[in-house]
């Protein structure tokens, strides 16, 4: 069995390259030669210890690579295919899979369950999570499909149309892609709240109509002025924490939509009377599935290949896999100017 390099968490805010066994893919699984992988907000939560860290297996789920080996029973993919990967596997048979809600699959597992994910020279992933990419798509674009699909679904959950003004809370990757997906969907007007200058700059480049720098401007006052007291038709909250949920409820109009697509680690104190009074429709958005006749993943691939979303604008830093320690430091501290940090091979 050959060896390969993999990035492994070794403690809180510690990740390093180790030599690990490269195993053959099991039944239903595929091995990719990893080309590019993004560091996600959820990876940073593991890095900081908010979520479980594996001390033996590489994480990483925003992955693009070339298939090099397929396990028993895999017929849809073969060596040489350029692919990207959803972060979970699904069975294809349960009631949720059969009705297009495969993100709620009864047998859903982490796509690299018990194997190495994208922060390794070779990624092993369940074939149910794989999508073939067109030749025209770069590895970098391929590694951005996953976060775009998360945002695409969040916008779809808001069901926003040309009548709607959409606010996005948060200028990180998911927030920026929500902005881009809302623009691509043709909504009337977009507003995004940001914390860092690079986020404001990018949001302007992506065509945001209103960029609200929190700390300088109160989003509630801004929206109040902008909408003559009405509020936004839809608000997508990408940051987490009670204060941001509270802001979302404060700036949404009566009967508007609030979509939560953030990580929450502890119970929050929120004044739920706001929901009673406003009749706001509050919902979550869980990864991706089918929001329409296509999967959110395929729709996101199309948004990138058609040029409707200029995804690579989000990538501020690129490191070789061997510099993973530095890459995580940069990604974890947004004062570095980071939005999306990629590991390249
Ligand atoms: Zn992610
Ligand atoms: Zn299923």
């Amino acid at each position: 069995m050959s060896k390969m390099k993999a990035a492994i968490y070794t403690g809180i805010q510690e990740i390093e390259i180790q030599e690990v066994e490269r195993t053959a893919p099991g039944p239903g699984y595929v091995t990719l030669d990893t080309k590019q992988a993004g560091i996600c907000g959820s990876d940073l939560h593991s890095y900081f210890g908010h979520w479980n860290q594996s001390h033996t297996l590489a994480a990483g789920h925003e992955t693009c690579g070339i298939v090099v080996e397929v396990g028993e029973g895999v017929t849809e993919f073969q060596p040489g295919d350029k692919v990207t990967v959803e972060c979970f596997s699904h069975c294809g048979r349960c009631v949720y899979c059969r009705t297009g809600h495969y993100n709620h699959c009864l047998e859903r597992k982490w796509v690299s369950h018990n194997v190495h994910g994208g922060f390794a020279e070779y990624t092993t992933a369940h074939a149910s999570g794989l999508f073939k990419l067109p030749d025209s798509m770069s590895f970098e674009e391929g590694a951005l499909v996953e976060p775009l699909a998360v945002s695409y679904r969040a916008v779809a959950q808001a069901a926003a149309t040309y009548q709607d003004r959409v606010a996005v809370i948060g200028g990180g990757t998911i927030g920026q892609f929500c902005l881009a997906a809302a623009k691509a969907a043709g909504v009337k007007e977009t507003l995004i709240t940001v914390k860092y200058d690079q986020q404001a700059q990018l949001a302007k480049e992506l065509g945001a109509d209103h960029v609200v720098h929190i700390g300088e401007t109160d989003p509630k006052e801004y929206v109040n002025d902008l909408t003559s007291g009405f509020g936004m038709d839809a608000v997508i909250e990408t940051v987490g924490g009670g204060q941001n949920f509270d802001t979302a409820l404060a700036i949404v109009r009566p009967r508007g939509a609030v979509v939560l697509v953030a990580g929450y680690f502890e119970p929050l104190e929120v004044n739920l009377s706001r929901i009673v009074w406003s009749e706001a429709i509050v919902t979550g958005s869980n990864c991706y599935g089918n929001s329409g006749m296509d999967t959110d993943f395929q729709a996101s691939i199309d948004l990138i290949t058609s040029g409707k979303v200029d995804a690579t604008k989000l990538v501020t830093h690129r490191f070789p896999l061997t510099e993973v320690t530095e890459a995580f430091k940069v990604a974890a501290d947004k004062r570095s100017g980071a939005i999306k940090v990629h590991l390249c091979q």
Side-chain angles (χ1 to χ4, degrees):
M1 206 41 64
S2 57
K3 296 268 192 184
M4 66 170 178
K5 289 184 172 60
I8 307 287
Y9 296 115
T10 51
I12 304 301
Q13 292 189 65
E14 285 174 19
I15 187 166
E16 64 175 38
I17 291 292
Q18 294 181 0
E19 291 281 323
V20 299
E21 297 288 342
R22 179 189 153 192
T23 52
Y29 282 79
V30 167
T31 299
L32 317 180
D33 180 355
T34 317
K35 294 298 183 187
Q36 203 146 330
I39 298 176
C40 175
S42 63
D43 296 316
L44 295 174
H45 288 309
S46 298
Y47 180 69
F48 285 117
H50 301 150
W51 287 352
N52 272 353
Q53 290 183 340
S54 169
H55 292 164
T56 51
L57 294 168
H61 61 270
E62 299 182 359
T63 313
C64 184
I66 303 281
V67 174
V68 289
E69 212 178 338
V70 302
E72 194 189 311
V74 176
T75 52
E76 326 83 296
F77 299 97
Q78 50 192 336
D81 286 344
K82 188 200 294 182
V83 296
T84 188
V85 190
E86 294 181 323
C87 76
F88 58 89
S89 67
H90 64 279
C91 75
R93 296 178 304 273
C94 74
V95 64
Y96 289 114
C97 284
R98 283 186 282 112
T99 53
H101 308 295
Y102 66 94
N103 52 337
H104 299 291
C105 171
L106 297 174
E107 292 174 38
R108 172 174 163 156
K109 289 192 182 78
W110 163 236
V111 75
S112 297
H113 180 67
N114 286 340
V115 290
H116 293 288
F119 299 150
E121 282 182 277
Y122 293 89
T123 304
T124 306
H126 195 266
S128 65
L130 260 57
F131 280 75
K132 279 183 201 164
L133 296 175
D135 290 338
S136 63
M137 186 173 269
S138 67
F139 295 127
E140 182 155 303
E141 289 171 325
L144 291 161
V145 171
E146 198 274 346
L148 178 57
V150 169
S151 299
Y152 177 85
R153 182 174 185 83
V155 171
Q157 292 282 81
T161 71
Y162 181 69
Q163 294 194 14
D164 297 317
R165 289 161 153 164
V166 176
V168 177
I169 296 179
T173 297
I174 298 302
Q176 300 283 352
F177 272 151
C178 283
L179 166 66
K183 298 278 299 179
V187 305
K188 191 176 202 172
E189 209 168 353
T190 53
L191 176 150
I192 186 167
T193 71
V194 301
K195 191 169 172 189
Y196 299 96
D197 289 343
Q198 74 268 24
Q199 297 174 338
Q201 180 60 34
L202 177 63
K204 282 176 201 149
E205 286 175 29
L206 292 174
D209 298 301
H210 306 276
V211 178
V212 176
H213 224 297
I214 58 164
E216 288 170 20
T217 309
D218 178 7
K220 295 170 200 170
E221 282 172 24
Y222 192 98
V223 167
N224 200 47
D225 291 349
L226 176 69
T227 63
S228 310
F230 266 93
M232 303 298 283
D233 301 290
V235 183
I236 303 172
E237 206 290 271
T238 73
V239 179
Q243 208 184 334
N244 288 305
F245 185 35
D246 200 64
T247 300
L249 294 176
I251 65 175
V252 73
R253 69 160 165 80
R255 302 186 65 80
V258 173
V259 178
L260 305 178
V261 59
Y264 298 92
F265 310 106
E266 45 203 40
L268 305 175
E269 225 172 85
V270 178
N271 183 357
L272 295 177
S273 298
R274 285 186 191 279
I275 300 175
V276 178
W277 295 326
S278 70
E279 299 185 320
I281 308 298
V282 179
T283 188
S285 192
N286 181 341
C287 294
Y288 22 73
N290 280 72
S291 295
M293 295 303 282
D294 240 338
T295 60
D296 300 322
F297 237 68
Q298 191 58 53
S300 299
I301 291 169
D302 293 348
L303 279 176
I304 294 174
T305 47
S306 66
K308 293 194 174 91
V309 171
D310 193 351
T312 57
K313 267 188 165 22
L314 272 72
V315 182
T316 50
H317 297 76
R318 298 165 186 86
F319 290 91
L321 176 65
T322 48
E323 291 176 24
V324 67
T325 306
E326 180 64 17
F328 266 74
K329 274 191 193 133
V330 168
D333 184 359
K334 301 293 176 254
R335 289 170 302 178
S336 64
I339 292 176
K340 176 57 73 186
V341 178
H342 270 190
L343 295 166
C344 311
Q345 302 183 48

